Amino acid sequence: MSWDVLLLRLPDDITSVQEIPVDCSPDPLGRRHDVLAAVAQACPEADLSDPTWGEFSGTGWSIEFNIGSEDPVDSVMLHIRGSGDDVLIHVFRLAEALRCRVLDCAGGDLITPGHTSGWHAFQ
């Protein structure tokens, strides 16, 4: 079982999932090679030998990056397992590197540093 979060681009004025218009078509995160470079820069220890499905592990947690094979890349799904808040540092570092937002798929909320109740509930 994993805690899944989606990294995607949304307009800055959207503060919750309920505000996303039905006809919203988020901008892509970028070309595949640029997305992979951003992931590698944000998480240099990540294993991206499979450019569609990366992996990154820390003490007590792991992240799988579902990047997919599409070009450009529309979003990246993170499958997070384990425990410990230090994993969140990497989630938000990735979001910053990709200039995107973090959607908690379990709770349906956009999360920000300090507002990560879904991660705590998952643990």
Side-chain angles (χ1 to χ4, degrees), residues 6-91:
L6 185 65
L7 304 179
L8 75 163
R9 292 239 170 96
L10 291 171
D12 291 336
D13 60 334
I14 292 179
T15 59
S16 73
V17 175
Q18 293 77 20
E19 295 175 2
I20 299 173
V22 174
D23 61 348
C24 180
S25 180
D27 290 337
L29 297 179
R31 305 290 304 174
R32 278 183 57 67
H33 67 275
D34 293 330
V35 169
L36 290 167
V39 171
Q41 180 180 6
C43 300
E45 301 87 6
D47 176 359
L48 298 172
S49 57
D50 177 349
T52 65
W53 193 270
E55 298 179 359
F56 179 40
S57 295
T59 303
W61 54 264
S62 67
I63 302 174
E64 292 178 323
F65 308 93
N66 185 346
I67 299 167
S69 59
E70 298 295 319
D71 194 5
V73 176
D74 290 326
S75 62
V76 174
M77 180 70 77
L78 304 180
H79 305 283
I80 304 168
R81 293 175 179 80
S83 62
D85 286 353
D86 58 324
V87 71
L88 297 172
I89 294 166
H90 303 287
V91 170

